[in-house]
Amino acid sequence: MTSLAHVKQAITQDMNNIVFISSETCSICHVDEPKVRKIAETNGITFHHLDIIQEPELIGLFSVMAVPAVLVYHNGKEVARQARFIDFRSLEELLQQLPKDFQTTDYQSLFSEL
């Protein structure tokens, strides 16, 4: 389990992050967490697991209304969210498309090709 302070810092510093929010009393959370963790590790993305029972402020901070919740962050911004029913295939496809390094886009060369 990761601390909330650590997750907030990682979201601002790391390029890609997955935040998995669960509850101790949620049985499906215990099944989904290892699957999401494996998908994150396979794609080289930092995985964070938070529990709303241990840190109730997560509900308001991340606007979570149902668990399990999977939040995907890229460059400090939320780019995807799934809650309750996790579509592992679409999650993996999204993670495969996320840039893995901090290269900046050269828009001048990008649009000069048009």
Side-chain angles (χ1 to χ4, degrees):
M1 203 74 53
T2 314
S3 75
L4 180 56
H6 175 77
V7 172
K8 288 166 121 179
Q9 181 179 14
I11 288 172
T12 61
Q13 292 180 346
D14 298 342
M15 180 169 235
N16 296 315
N17 291 275
I18 289 183
V19 179
F20 184 87
I21 300 174
S22 67
S23 169
E24 294 172 5
T25 59
C26 168
S27 59
I28 195 68
C29 295
H30 297 288
V31 173
D32 285 355
E33 187 269 338
K35 294 177 184 179
V36 175
R37 180 184 297 274
K38 183 173 189 223
I39 291 170
E41 290 172 355
T42 301
N43 289 282
I45 295 177
T46 307
F47 178 86
H48 308 282
H49 181 192
L50 296 169
D51 188 295
I52 62 169
I53 301 292
Q54 295 176 5
E55 300 189 72
E57 64 271 20
L58 295 172
I59 297 168
L61 182 67
F62 290 108
S63 299
V64 173
M65 304 301 166
V67 291
V70 177
L71 289 68
V72 179
Y73 286 86
H74 174 72
N75 284 339
K77 296 192 177 10
E78 184 180 322
V79 295
R81 170 185 294 242
Q82 294 185 23
R84 194 175 305 228
F85 303 106
I86 309 301
D87 182 347
F88 299 104
R89 178 173 287 161
S90 69
L91 178 63
E92 186 155 27
E93 288 172 0
L94 170 71
L95 299 183
Q96 290 170 352
Q97 295 174 6
L98 289 177
K100 304 289 191 260
D101 56 19
F102 284 100
Q103 292 179 341
T104 57
T105 303
D106 180 7
Y107 290 101
Q108 187 66 29
S109 64
L110 181 66
F111 290 110
S112 67
E113 296 174 5
L114 299 176

